[in-house]
mmCIF file of all heavy atoms in Angstrom:
data_model
loop_
_atom_site.group_PDB
_atom_site.id
_atom_site.type_symbol
_atom_site.label_atom_id
_atom_site.label_comp_id
_atom_site.label_asym_id
_atom_site.label_seq_id
_atom_site.Cartn_x
_atom_site.Cartn_y
_atom_site.Cartn_z
ATOM 1 N N ARG A 1105 0.547 29.734 19.336
ATOM 2 C CA ARG A 1105 1.553 30.738 19.664
ATOM 3 C C ARG A 1105 1.014 31.802 20.623
ATOM 4 O O ARG A 1105 1.657 32.818 20.850
ATOM 5 C CB ARG A 1105 2.088 31.389 18.388
ATOM 6 C CG ARG A 1105 2.900 30.431 17.509
ATOM 7 C CD ARG A 1105 3.449 31.112 16.276
ATOM 8 N NE ARG A 1105 4.167 30.176 15.416
ATOM 9 C CZ ARG A 1105 5.476 29.944 15.459
ATOM 10 N NH1 ARG A 1105 6.219 30.590 16.341
ATOM 11 N NH2 ARG A 1105 6.048 29.078 14.631
ATOM 12 N N THR A 1106 -0.154 31.569 21.197
ATOM 13 C CA THR A 1106 -0.719 32.524 22.154
ATOM 14 C C THR A 1106 -0.485 32.087 23.588
ATOM 15 O O THR A 1106 -0.446 32.919 24.487
ATOM 16 C CB THR A 1106 -2.230 32.704 21.931
ATOM 17 O OG1 THR A 1106 -2.920 31.489 22.240
ATOM 18 C CG2 THR A 1106 -2.508 33.114 20.491
ATOM 19 N N SER A 1107 -0.340 30.793 23.832
ATOM 20 C CA SER A 1107 -0.155 30.268 25.187
ATOM 21 C C SER A 1107 0.993 29.279 25.199
ATOM 22 O O SER A 1107 0.914 28.218 24.561
ATOM 23 C CB SER A 1107 -1.430 29.577 25.679
ATOM 24 O OG SER A 1107 -1.189 28.881 26.890
ATOM 25 N N ARG A 1108 2.052 29.590 25.910
ATOM 26 C CA ARG A 1108 3.200 28.688 25.980
ATOM 27 C C ARG A 1108 2.809 27.342 26.601
ATOM 28 O O ARG A 1108 3.374 26.306 26.255
ATOM 29 C CB ARG A 1108 4.317 29.321 26.807
ATOM 30 C CG ARG A 1108 4.860 30.628 26.265
ATOM 31 C CD ARG A 1108 5.817 30.435 25.124
ATOM 32 N NE ARG A 1108 7.091 29.867 25.530
ATOM 33 C CZ ARG A 1108 8.059 29.537 24.677
ATOM 34 N NH1 ARG A 1108 7.884 29.720 23.372
ATOM 35 N NH2 ARG A 1108 9.198 29.027 25.110
ATOM 36 N N LYS A 1109 1.852 27.354 27.497
ATOM 37 C CA LYS A 1109 1.440 26.115 28.161
ATOM 38 C C LYS A 1109 0.637 25.211 27.234
ATOM 39 O O LYS A 1109 0.443 24.033 27.541
ATOM 40 C CB LYS A 1109 0.633 26.427 29.419
ATOM 41 C CG LYS A 1109 1.452 27.058 30.540
ATOM 42 C CD LYS A 1109 0.605 27.298 31.774
ATOM 43 C CE LYS A 1109 1.450 27.906 32.895
ATOM 44 N NZ LYS A 1109 0.648 28.140 34.120
ATOM 45 N N HIS A 1110 0.172 25.758 26.113
ATOM 46 C CA HIS A 1110 -0.653 24.980 25.184
ATOM 47 C C HIS A 1110 0.021 24.884 23.816
ATOM 48 O O HIS A 1110 -0.619 24.618 22.803
ATOM 49 C CB HIS A 1110 -2.030 25.648 25.064
ATOM 50 C CG HIS A 1110 -3.052 24.830 24.343
ATOM 51 N ND1 HIS A 1110 -3.460 25.119 23.060
ATOM 52 C CD2 HIS A 1110 -3.737 23.720 24.713
ATOM 53 C CE1 HIS A 1110 -4.371 24.239 22.675
ATOM 54 N NE2 HIS A 1110 -4.558 23.367 23.650
ATOM 55 N N ALA A 1111 1.340 25.092 23.793
ATOM 56 C CA ALA A 1111 2.036 25.252 22.514
ATOM 57 C C ALA A 1111 2.722 23.990 22.007
ATOM 58 O O ALA A 1111 3.209 23.980 20.869
ATOM 59 C CB ALA A 1111 3.072 26.377 22.623
ATOM 60 N N ARG A 1112 2.778 22.926 22.801
ATOM 61 C CA ARG A 1112 3.461 21.711 22.353
ATOM 62 C C ARG A 1112 2.616 20.967 21.324
ATOM 63 O O ARG A 1112 1.390 21.094 21.262
ATOM 64 C CB ARG A 1112 3.759 20.795 23.543
ATOM 65 C CG ARG A 1112 4.836 21.299 24.499
ATOM 66 C CD ARG A 1112 6.218 21.284 23.902
ATOM 67 N NE ARG A 1112 6.670 19.966 23.508
ATOM 68 C CZ ARG A 1112 7.259 19.105 24.347
ATOM 69 N NH1 ARG A 1112 7.478 19.423 25.610
ATOM 70 N NH2 ARG A 1112 7.668 17.919 23.907
ATOM 71 N N LEU A 1113 3.268 20.119 20.550
ATOM 72 C CA LEU A 1113 2.591 19.337 19.507
ATOM 73 C C LEU A 1113 1.492 18.459 20.083
ATOM 74 O O LEU A 1113 0.471 18.217 19.424
ATOM 75 C CB LEU A 1113 3.622 18.483 18.765
ATOM 76 C CG LEU A 1113 3.089 17.510 17.705
ATOM 77 C CD1 LEU A 1113 2.371 18.252 16.590
ATOM 78 C CD2 LEU A 1113 4.226 16.670 17.130
ATOM 79 N N LYS A 1114 1.653 17.987 21.317
ATOM 80 C CA LYS A 1114 0.633 17.098 21.890
ATOM 81 C C LYS A 1114 -0.739 17.776 21.929
ATOM 82 O O LYS A 1114 -1.767 17.124 21.701
ATOM 83 C CB LYS A 1114 1.044 16.643 23.293
ATOM 84 C CG LYS A 1114 1.204 17.741 24.321
ATOM 85 C CD LYS A 1114 1.675 17.195 25.663
ATOM 86 C CE LYS A 1114 1.901 18.309 26.669
ATOM 87 N NZ LYS A 1114 2.364 17.783 27.976
ATOM 88 N N TYR A 1115 -0.760 19.088 22.187
ATOM 89 C CA TYR A 1115 -2.030 19.794 22.224
ATOM 90 C C TYR A 1115 -2.563 20.050 20.809
ATOM 91 O O TYR A 1115 -3.787 20.054 20.595
ATOM 92 C CB TYR A 1115 -1.876 21.104 22.983
ATOM 93 C CG TYR A 1115 -1.463 20.914 24.433
ATOM 94 C CD1 TYR A 1115 -0.257 21.414 24.905
ATOM 95 C CD2 TYR A 1115 -2.283 20.209 25.317
ATOM 96 C CE1 TYR A 1115 0.132 21.233 26.221
ATOM 97 C CE2 TYR A 1115 -1.913 20.024 26.645
ATOM 98 C CZ TYR A 1115 -0.695 20.539 27.088
ATOM 99 O OH TYR A 1115 -0.316 20.339 28.395
ATOM 100 N N THR A 1116 -1.670 20.264 19.861
ATOM 101 C CA THR A 1116 -2.100 20.419 18.470
ATOM 102 C C THR A 1116 -2.803 19.150 17.994
ATOM 103 O O THR A 1116 -3.853 19.215 17.341
ATOM 104 C CB THR A 1116 -0.893 20.723 17.564
ATOM 105 O OG1 THR A 1116 -0.160 21.831 18.093
ATOM 106 C CG2 THR A 1116 -1.341 21.045 16.150
ATOM 107 N N VAL A 1117 -2.222 17.991 18.316
ATOM 108 C CA VAL A 1117 -2.824 16.709 17.931
ATOM 109 C C VAL A 1117 -4.157 16.514 18.641
ATOM 110 O O VAL A 1117 -5.149 16.080 18.026
ATOM 111 C CB VAL A 1117 -1.856 15.555 18.239
ATOM 112 C CG1 VAL A 1117 -2.532 14.207 18.000
ATOM 113 C CG2 VAL A 1117 -0.604 15.661 17.385
ATOM 114 N N GLU A 1118 -4.225 16.848 19.920
ATOM 115 C CA GLU A 1118 -5.479 16.714 20.665
ATOM 116 C C GLU A 1118 -6.558 17.625 20.061
ATOM 117 O O GLU A 1118 -7.712 17.221 19.924
ATOM 118 C CB GLU A 1118 -5.253 17.081 22.133
ATOM 119 C CG GLU A 1118 -4.512 16.044 22.941
ATOM 120 C CD GLU A 1118 -5.432 15.011 23.563
ATOM 121 O OE1 GLU A 1118 -6.487 15.382 24.105
ATOM 122 O OE2 GLU A 1118 -5.092 13.814 23.497
ATOM 123 N N ASP A 1119 -6.184 18.854 19.730
ATOM 124 C CA ASP A 1119 -7.163 19.822 19.240
ATOM 125 C C ASP A 1119 -7.614 19.524 17.815
ATOM 126 O O ASP A 1119 -8.804 19.649 17.489
ATOM 127 C CB ASP A 1119 -6.574 21.239 19.290
ATOM 128 C CG ASP A 1119 -6.305 21.712 20.712
ATOM 129 O OD1 ASP A 1119 -6.826 21.088 21.661
ATOM 130 O OD2 ASP A 1119 -5.551 22.696 20.876
ATOM 131 N N ARG A 1120 -6.688 19.138 16.949
ATOM 132 C CA ARG A 1120 -7.009 18.933 15.535
ATOM 133 C C ARG A 1120 -7.480 17.520 15.231
ATOM 134 O O ARG A 1120 -8.239 17.297 14.280
ATOM 135 C CB ARG A 1120 -5.771 19.240 14.682
ATOM 136 C CG ARG A 1120 -5.273 20.670 14.785
ATOM 137 C CD ARG A 1120 -5.992 21.590 13.829
ATOM 138 N NE ARG A 1120 -5.410 22.918 13.809
ATOM 139 C CZ ARG A 1120 -5.477 23.756 12.789
ATOM 140 N NH1 ARG A 1120 -6.090 23.391 11.679
ATOM 141 N NH2 ARG A 1120 -4.943 24.963 12.858
ATOM 142 N N GLY A 1121 -6.971 16.556 16.008
ATOM 143 C CA GLY A 1121 -7.283 15.159 15.735
ATOM 144 C C GLY A 1121 -6.199 14.504 14.900
ATOM 145 O O GLY A 1121 -5.619 15.137 14.011
ATOM 146 N N ILE A 1122 -5.931 13.238 15.169
ATOM 147 C CA ILE A 1122 -4.835 12.538 14.507
ATOM 148 C C ILE A 1122 -5.089 12.383 13.011
ATOM 149 O O ILE A 1122 -4.154 12.468 12.201
ATOM 150 C CB ILE A 1122 -4.591 11.157 15.168
ATOM 151 C CG1 ILE A 1122 -3.311 10.523 14.631
ATOM 152 C CG2 ILE A 1122 -5.770 10.252 15.011
ATOM 153 C CD1 ILE A 1122 -2.049 11.201 15.050
ATOM 154 N N ASP A 1123 -6.341 12.194 12.593
ATOM 155 C CA ASP A 1123 -6.631 11.987 11.172
ATOM 156 C C ASP A 1123 -6.378 13.263 10.360
ATOM 157 O O ASP A 1123 -5.812 13.207 9.250
ATOM 158 C CB ASP A 1123 -8.086 11.538 10.992
ATOM 159 C CG ASP A 1123 -8.335 10.151 11.561
ATOM 160 O OD1 ASP A 1123 -7.363 9.376 11.655
ATOM 161 O OD2 ASP A 1123 -9.486 9.861 11.931
ATOM 162 N N VAL A 1124 -6.769 14.399 10.891
ATOM 163 C CA VAL A 1124 -6.540 15.676 10.204
ATOM 164 C C VAL A 1124 -5.046 15.960 10.122
ATOM 165 O O VAL A 1124 -4.527 16.404 9.089
ATOM 166 C CB VAL A 1124 -7.278 16.816 10.938
ATOM 167 C CG1 VAL A 1124 -6.891 18.173 10.358
ATOM 168 C CG2 VAL A 1124 -8.783 16.609 10.861
ATOM 169 N N PHE A 1125 -4.345 15.697 11.221
ATOM 170 C CA PHE A 1125 -2.901 15.930 11.238
ATOM 171 C C PHE A 1125 -2.199 15.023 10.230
ATOM 172 O O PHE A 1125 -1.307 15.459 9.500
ATOM 173 C CB PHE A 1125 -2.347 15.695 12.649
ATOM 174 C CG PHE A 1125 -1.029 16.360 12.897
ATOM 175 C CD1 PHE A 1125 -0.957 17.580 13.557
ATOM 176 C CD2 PHE A 1125 0.156 15.782 12.469
ATOM 177 C CE1 PHE A 1125 0.269 18.199 13.783
ATOM 178 C CE2 PHE A 1125 1.379 16.397 12.684
ATOM 179 C CZ PHE A 1125 1.431 17.613 13.339
ATOM 180 N N ARG A 1126 -2.602 13.757 10.180
ATOM 181 C CA ARG A 1126 -1.987 12.810 9.240
ATOM 182 C C ARG A 1126 -2.165 13.282 7.795
ATOM 183 O O ARG A 1126 -1.217 13.240 6.999
ATOM 184 C CB ARG A 1126 -2.600 11.424 9.412
ATOM 185 C CG ARG A 1126 -2.002 10.379 8.467
ATOM 186 C CD ARG A 1126 -2.756 9.055 8.521
ATOM 187 N NE ARG A 1126 -2.698 8.470 9.853
ATOM 188 C CZ ARG A 1126 -3.741 8.380 10.686
ATOM 189 N NH1 ARG A 1126 -4.940 8.875 10.308
ATOM 190 N NH2 ARG A 1126 -3.623 7.833 11.863
ATOM 191 N N ALA A 1127 -3.362 13.715 7.461
ATOM 192 C CA ALA A 1127 -3.632 14.159 6.090
ATOM 193 C C ALA A 1127 -2.746 15.340 5.708
ATOM 194 O O ALA A 1127 -2.253 15.415 4.573
ATOM 195 C CB ALA A 1127 -5.106 14.528 5.954
ATOM 196 N N GLU A 1128 -2.516 16.258 6.643
ATOM 197 C CA GLU A 1128 -1.680 17.412 6.343
ATOM 198 C C GLU A 1128 -0.217 17.006 6.172
ATOM 199 O O GLU A 1128 0.485 17.521 5.285
ATOM 200 C CB GLU A 1128 -1.818 18.461 7.444
ATOM 201 C CG GLU A 1128 -1.075 19.748 7.176
ATOM 202 C CD GLU A 1128 -1.632 20.556 6.019
ATOM 203 O OE1 GLU A 1128 -2.789 20.282 5.600
ATOM 204 O OE2 GLU A 1128 -0.934 21.476 5.531
ATOM 205 N N VAL A 1129 0.260 16.089 6.999
ATOM 206 C CA VAL A 1129 1.640 15.614 6.863
ATOM 207 C C VAL A 1129 1.817 14.905 5.530
ATOM 208 O O VAL A 1129 2.823 15.101 4.833
ATOM 209 C CB VAL A 1129 2.017 14.685 8.035
ATOM 210 C CG1 VAL A 1129 3.365 13.998 7.779
ATOM 211 C CG2 VAL A 1129 2.063 15.464 9.340
ATOM 212 N N GLU A 1130 0.859 14.071 5.152
ATOM 213 C CA GLU A 1130 0.940 13.382 3.864
ATOM 214 C C GLU A 1130 1.001 14.375 2.710
ATOM 215 O O GLU A 1130 1.788 14.194 1.767
ATOM 216 C CB GLU A 1130 -0.273 12.464 3.704
ATOM 217 C CG GLU A 1130 -0.230 11.236 4.602
ATOM 218 C CD GLU A 1130 -1.469 10.377 4.489
ATOM 219 O OE1 GLU A 1130 -2.540 10.931 4.113
ATOM 220 O OE2 GLU A 1130 -1.404 9.172 4.768
ATOM 221 N N ALA A 1131 0.184 15.430 2.779
ATOM 222 C CA ALA A 1131 0.167 16.421 1.702
ATOM 223 C C ALA A 1131 1.507 17.136 1.603
ATOM 224 O O ALA A 1131 2.030 17.361 0.501
ATOM 225 C CB ALA A 1131 -0.962 17.415 1.943
ATOM 226 N N ARG A 1132 2.089 17.490 2.733
ATOM 227 C CA ARG A 1132 3.343 18.237 2.710
ATOM 228 C C ARG A 1132 4.531 17.341 2.346
ATOM 229 O O ARG A 1132 5.482 17.803 1.702
ATOM 230 C CB ARG A 1132 3.578 18.894 4.066
ATOM 231 C CG ARG A 1132 2.533 19.938 4.414
ATOM 232 C CD ARG A 1132 2.937 20.778 5.612
ATOM 233 N NE ARG A 1132 1.864 21.692 5.996
ATOM 234 C CZ ARG A 1132 2.040 22.797 6.717
ATOM 235 N NH1 ARG A 1132 3.255 23.126 7.129
ATOM 236 N NH2 ARG A 1132 1.009 23.560 7.036
ATOM 237 N N ALA A 1133 4.505 16.084 2.791
ATOM 238 C CA ALA A 1133 5.618 15.171 2.510
ATOM 239 C C ALA A 1133 5.486 14.512 1.144
ATOM 240 O O ALA A 1133 6.459 13.934 0.638
ATOM 241 C CB ALA A 1133 5.707 14.098 3.599
ATOM 242 N N GLY A 1134 4.299 14.577 0.549
ATOM 243 C CA GLY A 1134 4.084 13.952 -0.743
ATOM 244 C C GLY A 1134 4.098 12.434 -0.676
ATOM 245 O O GLY A 1134 4.566 11.767 -1.611
ATOM 246 N N ILE A 1135 3.575 11.896 0.415
ATOM 247 C CA ILE A 1135 3.533 10.444 0.596
ATOM 248 C C ILE A 1135 2.156 10.032 1.085
ATOM 249 O O ILE A 1135 1.323 10.875 1.417
ATOM 250 C CB ILE A 1135 4.589 9.963 1.622
ATOM 251 C CG1 ILE A 1135 4.226 10.488 3.024
ATOM 252 C CG2 ILE A 1135 5.983 10.390 1.238
ATOM 253 C CD1 ILE A 1135 4.649 9.611 4.141
ATOM 254 N N LYS A 1136 1.955 8.731 1.149
ATOM 255 C CA LYS A 1136 0.754 8.176 1.758
ATOM 256 C C LYS A 1136 1.195 7.147 2.786
ATOM 257 O O LYS A 1136 1.880 6.176 2.453
ATOM 258 C CB LYS A 1136 -0.134 7.514 0.694
ATOM 259 C CG LYS A 1136 -1.492 7.075 1.225
ATOM 260 C CD LYS A 1136 -2.406 8.254 1.460
ATOM 261 C CE LYS A 1136 -3.814 7.795 1.867
ATOM 262 N NZ LYS A 1136 -4.700 8.959 2.175
ATOM 263 N N PHE A 1137 0.855 7.372 4.039
ATOM 264 C CA PHE A 1137 1.233 6.416 5.077
ATOM 265 C C PHE A 1137 0.513 5.088 4.874
ATOM 266 O O PHE A 1137 -0.657 5.045 4.497
ATOM 267 C CB PHE A 1137 0.858 6.948 6.470
ATOM 268 C CG PHE A 1137 1.766 8.027 6.980
ATOM 269 C CD1 PHE A 1137 1.297 9.323 7.137
ATOM 270 C CD2 PHE A 1137 3.074 7.744 7.330
ATOM 271 C CE1 PHE A 1137 2.120 10.329 7.618
ATOM 272 C CE2 PHE A 1137 3.916 8.737 7.808
ATOM 273 C CZ PHE A 1137 3.443 10.026 7.958
ATOM 274 N N GLU A 1138 1.217 4.011 5.149
ATOM 275 C CA GLU A 1138 0.581 2.704 5.278
ATOM 276 C C GLU A 1138 0.157 2.507 6.724
ATOM 277 O O GLU A 1138 0.553 3.268 7.618
ATOM 278 C CB GLU A 1138 1.557 1.595 4.866
ATOM 279 C CG GLU A 1138 2.006 1.656 3.419
ATOM 280 C CD GLU A 1138 2.976 0.534 3.082
ATOM 281 O OE1 GLU A 1138 2.815 -0.579 3.650
ATOM 282 O OE2 GLU A 1138 3.904 0.766 2.295
ATOM 283 N N ALA A 1139 -0.646 1.488 6.964
ATOM 284 C CA ALA A 1139 -1.031 1.167 8.339
ATOM 285 C C ALA A 1139 0.216 0.776 9.127
ATOM 286 O O ALA A 1139 1.149 0.185 8.575
ATOM 287 C CB ALA A 1139 -2.041 0.028 8.351
ATOM 288 N N PRO A 1140 0.287 1.115 10.419
ATOM 289 C CA PRO A 1140 1.456 0.734 11.229
ATOM 290 C C PRO A 1140 1.697 -0.762 11.203
ATOM 291 O O PRO A 1140 0.758 -1.567 11.180
ATOM 292 C CB PRO A 1140 1.073 1.216 12.634
ATOM 293 C CG PRO A 1140 0.073 2.300 12.414
ATOM 294 C CD PRO A 1140 -0.703 1.884 11.185
ATOM 295 N N LYS A 1141 2.963 -1.139 11.197
ATOM 296 C CA LYS A 1141 3.356 -2.546 11.194
ATOM 297 C C LYS A 1141 3.480 -3.060 12.632
ATOM 298 O O LYS A 1141 3.748 -2.286 13.560
ATOM 299 C CB LYS A 1141 4.691 -2.725 10.464
ATOM 300 C CG LYS A 1141 4.728 -2.148 9.063
ATOM 301 C CD LYS A 1141 3.786 -2.849 8.109
ATOM 302 C CE LYS A 1141 3.945 -2.312 6.685
ATOM 303 N NZ LYS A 1141 2.986 -2.914 5.737
ATOM 304 N N PRO A 1142 3.317 -4.357 12.837
ATOM 305 C CA PRO A 1142 3.423 -4.917 14.196
ATOM 306 C C PRO A 1142 4.834 -4.748 14.761
ATOM 307 O O PRO A 1142 5.836 -4.847 14.041
ATOM 308 C CB PRO A 1142 3.089 -6.399 13.991
ATOM 309 C CG PRO A 1142 2.359 -6.472 12.693
ATOM 310 C CD PRO A 1142 2.932 -5.384 11.841
ATOM 311 N N PHE A 1143 4.910 -4.503 16.064
ATOM 312 C CA PHE A 1143 6.183 -4.426 16.777
ATOM 313 C C PHE A 1143 5.881 -4.633 18.250
ATOM 314 O O PHE A 1143 4.720 -4.591 18.684
ATOM 315 C CB PHE A 1143 6.866 -3.065 16.564
ATOM 316 C CG PHE A 1143 6.134 -1.912 17.193
ATOM 317 C CD1 PHE A 1143 6.503 -1.436 18.440
ATOM 318 C CD2 PHE A 1143 5.061 -1.305 16.541
ATOM 319 C CE1 PHE A 1143 5.804 -0.383 19.027
ATOM 320 C CE2 PHE A 1143 4.370 -0.260 17.113
ATOM 321 C CZ PHE A 1143 4.736 0.211 18.365
ATOM 322 N N ALA A 1144 6.919 -4.832 19.047
ATOM 323 C CA ALA A 1144 6.723 -5.009 20.491
ATOM 324 C C ALA A 1144 7.938 -4.502 21.239
ATOM 325 O O ALA A 1144 9.079 -4.766 20.856
ATOM 326 C CB ALA A 1144 6.484 -6.485 20.823
ATOM 327 N N PHE A 1145 7.682 -3.750 22.311
ATOM 328 C CA PHE A 1145 8.722 -3.338 23.241
ATOM 329 C C PHE A 1145 8.635 -4.196 24.492
ATOM 330 O O PHE A 1145 7.541 -4.572 24.921
ATOM 331 C CB PHE A 1145 8.562 -1.866 23.631
ATOM 332 C CG PHE A 1145 8.859 -0.889 22.538
ATOM 333 C CD1 PHE A 1145 7.922 0.049 22.138
ATOM 334 C CD2 PHE A 1145 10.090 -0.897 21.898
ATOM 335 C CE1 PHE A 1145 8.196 0.965 21.136
ATOM 336 C CE2 PHE A 1145 10.372 0.010 20.878
ATOM 337 C CZ PHE A 1145 9.421 0.940 20.504
ATOM 338 N N THR A 1146 9.785 -4.474 25.084
ATOM 339 C CA THR A 1146 9.810 -5.278 26.311
ATOM 340 C C THR A 1146 10.356 -4.513 27.505
ATOM 341 O O THR A 1146 10.166 -4.948 28.650
ATOM 342 C CB THR A 1146 10.647 -6.549 26.112
ATOM 343 O OG1 THR A 1146 11.976 -6.192 25.703
ATOM 344 C CG2 THR A 1146 10.021 -7.446 25.057
ATOM 345 N N SER A 1147 11.053 -3.408 27.269
ATOM 346 C CA SER A 1147 11.605 -2.640 28.391
ATOM 347 C C SER A 1147 12.022 -1.270 27.877
ATOM 348 O O SER A 1147 12.029 -1.014 26.672
ATOM 349 C CB SER A 1147 12.816 -3.347 28.992
ATOM 350 O OG SER A 1147 13.929 -3.274 28.117
ATOM 351 N N MET A 1148 12.372 -0.377 28.815
ATOM 352 C CA MET A 1148 12.908 0.922 28.428
ATOM 353 C C MET A 1148 14.189 1.250 29.182
ATOM 354 O O MET A 1148 14.649 2.394 29.188
ATOM 355 C CB MET A 1148 11.868 2.028 28.643
ATOM 356 C CG MET A 1148 11.272 2.110 30.023
ATOM 357 S SD MET A 1148 10.001 3.421 30.041
ATOM 358 C CE MET A 1148 9.435 3.302 31.735
ATOM 359 N N GLY A 1149 14.780 0.250 29.812
ATOM 360 C CA GLY A 1149 16.019 0.461 30.541
ATOM 361 C C GLY A 1149 17.239 0.080 29.719
ATOM 362 O O GLY A 1149 17.143 -0.279 28.544
ATOM 363 N N ASP A 1150 18.413 0.181 30.345
ATOM 364 C CA ASP A 1150 19.672 -0.156 29.691
ATOM 365 C C ASP A 1150 20.095 -1.588 30.023
ATOM 366 O O ASP A 1150 19.741 -2.133 31.077
ATOM 367 C CB ASP A 1150 20.781 0.805 30.143
ATOM 368 C CG ASP A 1150 20.591 2.206 29.597
ATOM 369 O OD1 ASP A 1150 19.989 2.349 28.521
ATOM 370 O OD2 ASP A 1150 21.041 3.167 30.254
ATOM 371 N N ARG A 1151 20.886 -2.177 29.144
ATOM 372 C CA ARG A 1151 21.474 -3.501 29.378
ATOM 373 C C ARG A 1151 22.866 -3.295 29.958
ATOM 374 O O ARG A 1151 23.793 -2.903 29.253
ATOM 375 C CB ARG A 1151 21.568 -4.278 28.065
ATOM 376 C CG ARG A 1151 20.235 -4.613 27.433
ATOM 377 C CD ARG A 1151 20.447 -5.291 26.082
ATOM 378 N NE ARG A 1151 21.217 -6.519 26.198
ATOM 379 C CZ ARG A 1151 21.712 -7.192 25.148
ATOM 380 N NH1 ARG A 1151 21.529 -6.725 23.928
ATOM 381 N NH2 ARG A 1151 22.394 -8.296 25.344
ATOM 382 N N TYR A 1152 22.997 -3.540 31.252
ATOM 383 C CA TYR A 1152 24.261 -3.274 31.928
ATOM 384 C C TYR A 1152 25.269 -4.406 31.724
ATOM 385 O O TYR A 1152 24.917 -5.531 31.379
ATOM 386 C CB TYR A 1152 24.021 -3.072 33.432
ATOM 387 C CG TYR A 1152 23.252 -1.826 33.754
ATOM 388 C CD1 TYR A 1152 21.919 -1.893 34.158
ATOM 389 C CD2 TYR A 1152 23.840 -0.576 33.653
ATOM 390 C CE1 TYR A 1152 21.200 -0.745 34.458
ATOM 391 C CE2 TYR A 1152 23.131 0.586 33.939
ATOM 392 C CZ TYR A 1152 21.817 0.491 34.346
ATOM 393 O OH TYR A 1152 21.113 1.631 34.643
#
């Protein structure tokens, strides 16, 4: 909250690390994440 240019979540994750962030989310949500499941994207456009 001191620098608007450094205030987005992407910088919080970079600064704290994904593992620390995950542990805090799990504690607040009262859950335990499983490992990500397989998936695949093929495009990001629209089907006209």
